[in-house]
Amino acid sequence: MAKYLIQIIVLGTQAVGKAFARAVRQEYQASQAAAQARYGGRQSGDSSRSSSKTVAENLRLGMTLEEARQILNVSDNSNLEEVTKNYEFLFNINDKAKGGSFYLQSKFYRAKERLDKEIAEKPSSDKSSTDNTTSSSSSNSSPPPQT
């Protein structure tokens, strides 16, 4: 009887050990694939500086731009109004007083923070080109009326 009990324990331990080893290998492969997708294929010059800046923002805010877009359900070319509207809806619907989740609220907050940062940086480069056109057109128009 003791012999069978020992065999069952040994076989069970072997099965658990193999499953654990397989899970560790799969996790290692998944992390390698994620690292390759994130850091692989980098080009030199400005794009590497901008990608390192993006990586730094991802680490600081704890989420990628794509993840933030998925959380708030906005498209690639999202604007601040769409982000704010989706954020407010999701944040309010998950209010703890309404039976919601504080964890989800924090995810929505971080996603909005990440997208706000990206939107704030994006118009700064576009704004410089539009400022030149608006300043030349405003010089041709008459001054605003005095009240």
Side-chain angles (χ1 to χ4, degrees):
M1 182 72 171
K3 178 182 174 181
Y4 294 120
L5 188 59
I6 291 173
Q7 284 180 341
I8 289 172
I9 291 172
V10 168
L11 289 174
T13 305
Q14 286 177 347
V16 169
K18 286 180 183 178
F20 181 74
R22 185 177 20 213
V24 168
R25 267 183 268 142
Q26 286 177 348
E27 183 62 30
Y28 179 74
Q29 289 171 349
S31 68
Q32 291 297 319
Q36 180 67 26
R38 178 175 284 172
Y39 303 116
R42 242 191 225 168
Q43 298 174 357
S44 62
D46 290 337
S47 62
S48 69
R49 278 188 230 116
S50 66
S51 67
S52 64
K53 185 178 178 185
T54 302
V55 169
E57 280 300 312
N58 291 347
L59 292 174
R60 187 179 76 78
L61 295 173
M63 94 176 34
T64 64
L65 189 57
E66 183 61 33
E67 183 181 4
R69 286 182 182 135
Q70 287 177 349
I71 289 172
L72 290 179
N73 193 26
V74 293
S75 61
D76 267 349
N77 53 358
S78 61
N79 58 17
L80 187 58
E81 293 146 6
E82 182 184 7
V83 169
T84 303
K85 184 182 101 184
N86 288 1
Y87 163 75
E88 287 175 355
F89 173 76
L90 292 168
F91 192 84
N92 291 332
I93 207 161
N94 281 290
D95 189 9
K96 197 152 176 100
K98 298 177 185 174
S101 167
F102 179 73
Y103 172 77
L104 289 176
Q105 279 187 322
S106 67
K107 278 295 204 181
F108 299 138
Y109 180 81
R110 293 295 174 205
K112 183 178 185 303
E113 185 179 42
R114 179 69 172 103
L115 290 173
D116 284 346
K117 179 78 172 163
E118 194 68 24
I119 290 171
E121 289 176 0
K122 183 179 174 186
S124 63
S125 61
D126 296 340
K127 192 176 181 180
S128 61
S129 63
T130 57
D131 282 346
N132 293 340
T133 58
T134 56
S135 62
S136 63
S137 63
S138 65
S139 62
N140 294 339
S141 63
S142 61
Q146 298 288 332
T147 56

